[in-house]
């Protein structure tokens, strides 16, 4: 099994590979299991701004599919070991964080029925945002302090790996454009689906291919709905929206809003501003680098950027070169194609000096 230091090195090696976010999480779970055994897990990506789960990787064998919306709803209403509260803190278990497991609403209303006796949770965040969380579940015995220390030790490597996996999506080939939407579905107070627009069926199938015998409703829709309910209940996680990778370099924004007693969830292509923010955070750009990238996106050249920001052209060029280096783009054309989600099909020219 090796030491915790060995595990951290193996996790760093896994995170250095060019894996998709799903492949990365599967590989990391394989590395973790010998050190921290578990009976079920939820390993989710989160939107770095809102902290709302956007792409879960879950295996909870004891959970009936029809209780998934209920589980997600209570997860957001529960503040015990919630991912936003764990950011910047060590991993924690249910039994060490509470006087009684009944202090956790998600355990009281759902997990207790599933036979879960303890859970261990850790959040993955850095100065660029929140990138995900991991919850491990056990049905037989509690997690030990040593096992929680293992999760805490490996968290920085996983954080960087998740952020870089998001960054890689912007370098993927441009995908064929889909419906311009938006697609809308309506959820009841319990997050059960009440209705959806015609465009929603296609959009939902893209978000969650039907490889399981369950309705093709992506967990992202449940999560933004639950985030809205938590916000209205005075225990907000973040604003009720998240950005979801849709394949190629396409991203969509899933957003919840109140519709009487129901919750309306819209799914539509992410705006240029939403894409650029995610791109900048995922590539670890500084504030000034992000500012210059934004001006490049709207078509300003080096001289115009220098005049607007009261910088020398040499300084602007240095910042632009730093952006190219951090993003791995060889030219400004390729850089901007990644940001806006277009194909860079014109002949490439060297980046401006």
């Amino acid at each position: 099994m090796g030491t915790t230091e060995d595990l951290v090195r193996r996790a760093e090696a896994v995170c250095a590979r060019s894996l998709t976010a799903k492949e990365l999480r599967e590989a990391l779970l394989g590395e973790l299991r010998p050190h921290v055994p578990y009976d079920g897990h939820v390993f989710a990506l989160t939107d770095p701004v809102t902290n709302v789960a956007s792409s879960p990787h879950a295996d909870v064998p004891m959970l009936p599919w029809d209780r998934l919306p209920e589980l997600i709803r209570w997860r957001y209403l529960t503040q015990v070991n919630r991912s936003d509260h764990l950011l910047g803190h060590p991993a924690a278990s249910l039994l060490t964080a509470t006087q009684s497991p009944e202090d956790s609403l998600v355990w009281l209303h759902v997990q207790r029925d599933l036979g879960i006796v303890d859970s261990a949770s850790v959040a993955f965040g850095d100065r660029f945002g929140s990138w995900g969380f991991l919850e491990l579940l056990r049905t037989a015995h509690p997690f030990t302090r040593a096992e929680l220390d293992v999760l805490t030790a490996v968290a920085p490597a996983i954080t960087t790996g998740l952020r870089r996996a998001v960054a890689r999506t912007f370098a993927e080939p441009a995908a064929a454009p889909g419906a311009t939407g938006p697609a809308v579905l309506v959820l009841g107070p319990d997050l059960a689906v009440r209705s959806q627009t015609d465009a929603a069926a296609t959009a939902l199938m893209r978000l969650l291919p039907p490889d399981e015998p369950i309705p093709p409703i992506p967990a992202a829709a449940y999560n933004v709905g639950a985030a809205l309910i938590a916000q209205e209940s005075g225990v907000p996680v973040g604003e009720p929206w998240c950005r979801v990778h849709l394949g190629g370099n396409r991203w969509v924004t899933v957003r919840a809003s109140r519709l009487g007693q129901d919750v309306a969830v819209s799914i539509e292509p992410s705006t240029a501003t939403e894409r650029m923010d995610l791109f900048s955070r995922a590539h670890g750009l500084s504030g000034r680098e992000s500012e210059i990238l934004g001006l490049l996106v709207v078509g300003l050249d080096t001289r115009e950027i220098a005049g607007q920001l009261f910088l020398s052209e040499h300084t602007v060029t240095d910042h632009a070169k730093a952006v190219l280096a951090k993003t791995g783009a060889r030219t400004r054309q390729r850089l901007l194609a990644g940001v806006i989600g277009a194909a860079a099909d014109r002949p490439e020219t060297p980046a401006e000096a």
Side-chain angles (χ1 to χ4, degrees):
M1 181 171 65
T3 65
T4 298
E5 290 76 14
D6 292 333
L7 172 62
V8 171
R9 284 192 291 269
R10 290 197 300 273
E12 290 173 340
V14 168
C15 291
R17 296 161 57 190
S18 296
L19 302 175
T20 66
K22 180 181 178 181
E23 293 168 341
L24 175 63
R25 285 176 283 174
E26 289 173 344
L28 289 170
L29 286 166
E31 295 289 351
L32 280 171
R33 188 182 282 275
H35 295 261
V36 190
Y38 54 88
D39 301 310
H41 76 266
V42 178
F43 196 168
L45 299 183
T46 54
D47 188 286
V49 172
T50 66
N51 203 48
V52 173
S54 59
S55 175
H57 183 295
D59 182 12
V60 186
M62 61 289 286
L63 177 70
W65 280 113
D66 60 0
R67 297 197 70 180
L68 177 62
E70 179 188 7
L71 174 68
I72 293 175
R73 180 176 179 274
W74 284 115
R75 184 183 299 282
Y76 280 77
L77 291 171
T78 300
Q79 298 191 70
V80 175
N81 291 346
R82 205 171 62 179
S83 63
D84 58 321
H85 293 169
L86 285 175
L87 286 169
H89 296 281
S93 71
L94 171 63
L95 296 182
T96 59
T98 62
Q99 294 294 322
S100 164
E102 293 186 359
D103 293 339
S104 166
L105 297 178
V106 70
W107 186 88
L108 178 65
H109 290 280
V110 181
Q111 291 180 342
R112 177 173 62 178
D113 297 342
L114 307 180
I116 293 170
V117 301
D118 199 10
S119 60
S121 302
V122 61
F124 307 112
D126 56 21
R127 64 191 181 94
F128 303 107
S130 63
W131 301 101
F133 68 85
L134 172 64
E135 181 183 48
L136 302 179
L137 306 169
R138 277 188 182 161
T139 58
H141 54 88
F143 289 92
T144 66
R145 171 52 57 187
E147 289 172 328
L148 296 178
D149 289 343
V150 168
L151 294 177
T152 299
V154 79
I158 295 177
T159 300
T160 301
L162 294 177
R163 178 166 60 79
R164 289 176 176 171
V166 172
R168 283 192 291 273
T169 66
F170 290 93
E172 294 183 13
T180 56
V184 178
L185 64 153
V186 177
L187 308 179
D190 58 355
L191 299 185
V193 177
R194 290 188 183 275
S195 63
Q196 62 187 43
T197 62
D198 291 341
T202 300
L204 294 172
M205 293 291 279
R206 290 197 186 103
L207 279 168
L208 182 63
D211 54 0
E212 295 286 350
I214 59 173
I217 306 300
Y222 295 135
N223 277 276
V224 295
L228 176 64
I229 292 172
Q231 183 182 65
E232 295 173 341
S233 301
V235 288
V237 171
E239 292 296 319
W241 59 270
C242 65
R243 289 160 289 194
V244 182
H245 183 222
L246 201 60
N249 59 16
R250 293 184 61 204
W251 284 83
V252 294
T253 298
V254 183
R255 194 181 310 270
S257 58
R258 179 57 62 186
L259 183 66
Q261 295 298 311
D262 296 328
V263 175
V265 176
S266 64
I267 305 169
E268 55 189 323
S270 298
T271 66
T273 299
E274 291 166 344
R275 285 183 62 96
M276 188 175 66
D277 171 76
L278 187 59
F279 182 95
S280 296
R281 292 173 182 274
H283 288 94
L285 302 188
S286 69
R288 179 64 83 182
E289 290 164 351
S290 298
E291 188 175 23
I292 288 175
L293 175 61
L295 295 175
L296 287 171
V297 167
V298 299
L300 274 61
D301 62 22
T302 298
R303 179 182 58 79
E304 292 168 327
I305 294 173
Q308 183 157 327
L309 298 181
F310 302 102
L311 299 173
S312 70
E313 292 186 28
H314 177 74
T315 298
V316 171
T317 297
D318 284 347
H319 283 305
K321 286 181 177 178
V323 172
L324 291 172
K326 287 184 177 181
T327 61
R330 292 188 295 115
T331 68
R332 289 191 184 184
Q333 179 183 325
R334 181 67 65 181
L335 170 70
L336 299 183
V339 174
I340 65 177
D345 51 8
R346 296 194 301 271
E348 292 189 353
T349 56
E352 283 188 50

